[in-house]
Amino acid sequence: MLWYNVIINLCARLFFATILFSLLCRTSVIRNTINTLAKNNLSKLKFIAIFVAFSLVDAFFGAQLVTRCINNQLAFVMVSGLIGGPIVGTATGLISSILAFFLVPYAPFSYHYILVILIGLIAGFFATWLQKQHAIYADASILGLMFTFFYLVINISLNTTTMPNSYTVEDILFPTLFSYSIGAGAFMGILEDFYNQQEKIEGISAKTALKITNNSISILQDGLNTTSASETADIILQEAETFDFVAITSLDEILGFSSYRTEAPFVSFLVDDFQNLFKTSFKQDAKNLDVIRSYINVPIYNDKHHVGYFCVGHILDSETTPFETTLAHGLGTMITNQITVHSIKEKAGLYDKAEIKALQSQINPHFLFNALSTISFYCSQQPQTAKSLINDLASYYRNNLTDGNTMISILNELQHINAYIHLEQARFGDRLKVDYDINIEESFLVPALILQPIVENAIRHGLYQKLEGGRIIIRIDKQKNSFRIAVIDDGLGMTSDRLKHIFDNTKPKNSIGLTNVNQRLITLYGPKNKLKIYSSMNNGTIVIMKIPFQEVSENND
């Protein structure tokens, strides 16, 4: 019955190790370590240290027994590899073997350590696969059985003189296979339970966050201010039912606050706590605060700009739960999203006159319908022409998605115009002629989509209404301190009264694009570089802009 003593000895020590690991998984330090194991080197070091400690303690106590050459080191190394990957498994095996060799009395022979390190490496390669399995503990037990069998076969074949007195290979074989495989399954079962608990926490927190979002969405739709922040904080405190206080702040002051305690002394102390938090960008240890004992801080952003904090916590409990952490980050993200939506709506409100929409022509159903109709005609008549026009249409709309504030090279702007002109020429044939008169040798930067509305305006309002069509000349010259761009057409022209009020926003007009181009030029280059327009009835129109010298980077070519 010697095998019975061996299995009891091994399983007893594994039992205490699994209990300890289960308790450790309930601490925030180990939870964070496991969650960041794949991408954080410090977490890997912590995890290696834990299993090296398990191995050393087990090897030390195992060495004091009659079964001193048998311990659970291999099981711990296998588990570290199955959880942490090949680096963690190999490092755990190497470090624990070196320390055991020098520190543990009656240490096993050298073959044992070599095999332990090798199995730690091999087990690590199964880590990713194992995490995808549904029964992670069962698969881990099978892998543990395989690795142990491999270890024993190599171990026994290389050395047959290490069995203690009166012990046989059979006395060691079954207990080792059993305890190591069960141990690997037990550790992975604890880890699986850890992941399941996290999923439940995330599910409950998501449900709570969704309920809070539904109740606060109408409040935050007008942006973040003292009123909306206070009302949102009240809703979160009531619906979450877990925090002692909820605060929404700017970078240096409280915008909204809600707490179960509202007496004046408490509020005064809490305000002092937040002043300390503001000074340290919410990195202050709660132990150094007056009334806040624990807190969770989530930064709030508006279009990637840090604008404030969402802070929740306790005034009695010194720790926050995983549920509270997950919920707080979800709510912080919700507030950020709502602020971003409001910012987008606010920016959209600045474009009520449809200046940007007209500029980019992103929503021009008539142009798109006409272009598609033209392409449809050429599909049966001239397939190659149709293919070319499709490319032009794709290029045209792709360029129209460019941010109007982006600076691009004049060559890119001309390519965009050329795509637009090809589509119009396919429709109107010889009625539309375009000449390029480029008198420069170097490129320069222009605001994206600065020329397209001028050319489009010349075609739509200058040439379309002429039965015989007309010609457009795009001329670029270099002057003393700027580049001069002129768009010249021989179309119908404009009356003096219309020309006089072309940039008057109070007058209804069809050339919104010209107004927008003029405003952009003034904003970027000053009033001296505003758009100049010369026109008279039946004599065409000349539109001139000046672009001050700017250096072209390689990214804009």
Side-chain angles (χ1 to χ4, degrees):
M1 295 293 289
L2 293 178
W3 67 268
Y4 180 81
N5 294 329
V6 177
I7 197 171
I8 290 297
N9 183 271
L10 290 174
C11 289
R13 281 178 280 143
L14 274 173
F15 173 76
F16 286 111
T18 53
I19 293 297
L20 180 58
F21 184 68
S22 177
L23 294 175
L24 289 175
C25 285
R26 298 176 181 272
T27 65
S28 59
V29 174
I30 302 303
R31 286 200 305 266
N32 294 334
T33 298
I34 294 175
N35 287 328
T36 58
L37 195 58
K39 55 186 178 181
N40 190 307
N41 291 330
L42 181 59
S43 296
K44 286 185 173 68
L45 291 176
K46 292 179 181 178
F47 201 76
I48 292 169
I50 291 171
F51 279 88
V52 166
F54 280 156
S55 299
L56 284 178
V57 172
D58 185 272
F60 182 84
F61 284 103
Q64 311 309 309
L65 303 172
V66 68
T67 58
R68 60 184 178 275
C69 65
I70 304 298
N71 57 59
N72 292 308
Q73 181 191 13
L74 180 64
F76 295 126
V77 172
M78 280 193 301
V79 171
S80 68
L82 291 174
I83 298 176
I87 295 177
V88 173
T90 305
T92 303
L94 179 62
I95 297 173
S96 64
S97 295
I98 293 174
L99 293 176
F101 184 81
F102 289 103
L103 299 178
V104 178
Y106 308 107
F109 56 92
S110 58
Y111 290 123
H112 164 81
Y113 296 128
I114 296 173
L115 289 172
V116 165
I117 297 170
L118 179 61
I119 289 175
L121 172 65
I122 297 174
F125 288 112
F126 286 87
T128 303
W129 173 82
L130 192 61
Q131 292 177 7
K132 297 179 181 179
Q133 306 309 303
H134 295 292
I136 188 172
Y137 61 91
D139 293 296
S141 296
I142 294 173
L143 288 174
L145 189 66
M146 293 170 54
F147 293 144
T148 306
F149 184 78
F150 168 76
Y151 164 82
L152 289 172
V153 169
I154 301 299
N155 196 341
I156 294 171
S157 64
L158 291 176
N159 196 311
T160 59
T161 62
T162 59
M163 296 297 108
N165 294 334
S166 72
Y167 280 77
T168 65
V169 172
E170 290 75 12
D171 291 327
I172 304 301
L173 182 63
F174 173 72
T176 307
L177 288 171
F178 177 81
S179 60
Y180 288 6
S181 59
I182 293 299
F187 271 96
M188 299 306 292
I190 294 171
L191 188 66
E192 183 178 17
D193 181 67
F194 169 79
Y195 288 138
N196 290 337
Q197 290 297 324
Q198 278 199 324
E199 290 179 359
K200 291 179 181 179
I201 290 172
E202 290 172 357
I204 296 172
S205 64
K207 184 177 180 180
T208 304
L210 180 61
K211 183 178 180 181
I212 294 173
T213 300
N214 289 335
N215 292 336
S216 62
I217 191 170
S218 60
I219 299 172
L220 289 171
Q221 67 179 0
D222 293 328
L224 187 63
N225 49 51
T226 54
T227 301
S228 63
S230 297
E231 293 179 3
T232 301
D234 288 338
I235 292 174
I236 293 174
L237 186 72
Q238 295 171 9
E239 297 293 344
E241 298 181 347
T242 183
F243 305 118
D244 291 335
F245 69 87
V246 177
I248 301 175
T249 76
S250 65
L251 295 176
D252 54 10
E253 65 176 342
I254 299 174
L255 298 177
F257 176 79
S258 185
S259 171
Y260 288 118
R261 296 184 60 178
T262 57
E263 59 269 27
F266 167 77
V267 174
S268 177
F269 281 121
L270 190 123
V271 170
D272 290 339
D273 282 349
F274 269 96
Q275 291 302 321
N276 290 327
L277 291 174
F278 287 134
K279 292 177 182 178
T280 60
S281 299
F282 281 77
K283 296 179 181 179
Q284 177 82 307
D285 193 327
K287 295 179 181 179
N288 300 323
L289 300 176
D290 293 328
V291 295
I292 297 177
R293 290 291 172 263
S294 61
Y295 69 92
I296 303 168
N297 164 56
V298 183
I300 299 174
Y301 295 92
N302 182 8
D303 192 21
K304 299 181 180 180
H305 298 292
H306 188 193
V307 297
Y309 299 94
F310 172 66
C311 185
V312 294
H314 298 289
I315 57 177
L316 295 176
D317 297 332
S318 58
E319 288 189 5
T320 55
T321 66
F323 166 76
E324 291 171 338
T325 301
T326 304
L327 178 60
H329 281 86
L331 293 173
T333 301
M334 179 272 293
I335 295 173
T336 290
N337 290 340
Q338 290 301 317
I339 294 174
T340 302
V341 169
H342 168 71
S343 178
I344 293 173
K345 289 172 60 179
E346 197 173 44
K347 289 179 180 179
L350 299 176
Y351 305 144
D352 284 341
K353 296 180 180 179
E355 292 181 350
I356 297 299
K357 290 182 180 179
L359 168 68
Q360 297 182 330
S361 300
Q362 291 179 19
I363 305 176
N364 191 336
H366 296 294
F367 171 74
L368 180 60
F369 175 81
N370 292 333
L372 292 175
S373 297
T374 303
I375 293 172
S376 177
F377 168 79
Y378 279 105
C379 282
S380 58
Q381 303 295 325
Q382 300 178 29
Q384 289 301 320
T385 301
K387 180 179 179 181
S388 177
L389 291 175
I390 291 174
N391 292 333
D392 288 329
L393 185 63
S395 175
Y396 174 79
Y397 275 93
R398 180 169 59 249
N399 288 324
N400 276 358
L401 295 176
T402 303
D403 184 354
N405 295 322
T406 301
M407 301 297 291
I408 64 174
S409 73
I410 186 62
L411 297 180
N412 288 339
E413 182 71 2
L414 290 175
Q415 288 175 357
H416 174 53
I417 294 171
N418 201 41
Y420 170 77
I421 289 173
H422 282 171
L423 291 165
E424 296 289 32
Q425 285 178 327
R427 180 184 173 199
F428 290 96
D430 293 338
R431 289 181 57 205
L432 176 59
K433 299 179 179 63
V434 179
D435 294 327
Y436 294 91
D437 185 12
I438 312 299
N439 303 306
I440 58 173
E441 297 180 356
E442 69 272 38
S443 183
F444 59 94
L445 294 177
V446 296
L449 307 174
I450 200 73
L451 277 180
Q452 189 271 339
I454 299 176
V455 175
E456 181 179 354
N457 191 73
I459 295 174
R460 292 178 59 189
H461 303 294
L463 304 181
Y464 275 2
Q465 299 178 32
K466 291 182 63 175
L467 295 178
E468 69 275 21
R471 181 181 300 276
I472 293 177
I473 301 173
I474 301 175
R475 180 175 296 157
I476 303 177
D477 302 301
K478 184 177 181 180
Q479 297 186 328
K480 184 178 181 180
N481 297 314
S482 63
F483 293 95
R484 179 178 178 271
I485 305 174
V487 177
I488 306 166
D489 70 76
D490 58 359
L492 296 178
M494 292 178 280
T495 63
S496 58
D497 183 69
R498 182 184 174 191
L499 182 61
K500 181 179 179 180
H501 298 286
I502 195 167
F503 297 137
D504 186 354
N505 291 326
T506 64
K507 299 287 184 179
K509 52 185 177 295
N510 296 324
S511 55
I512 297 177
L514 294 181
T515 304
N516 184 274
V517 169
N518 184 61
Q519 187 58 50
R520 292 172 69 199
L521 290 173
I522 293 173
T523 302
L524 289 170
Y525 307 120
K528 292 182 179 180
N529 295 288
K530 66 180 180 180
L531 206 62
K532 295 181 179 180
I533 303 177
Y534 307 92
S535 183
S536 61
M537 285 299 297
N538 300 318
N539 289 316
T541 301
I542 301 174
V543 180
I544 299 174
M545 70 173 70
K546 290 184 178 181
I547 306 294
F549 289 161
Q550 282 186 299
E551 186 175 338
V552 181
S553 66
E554 292 181 3
N555 294 333
N556 294 86
D557 287 334

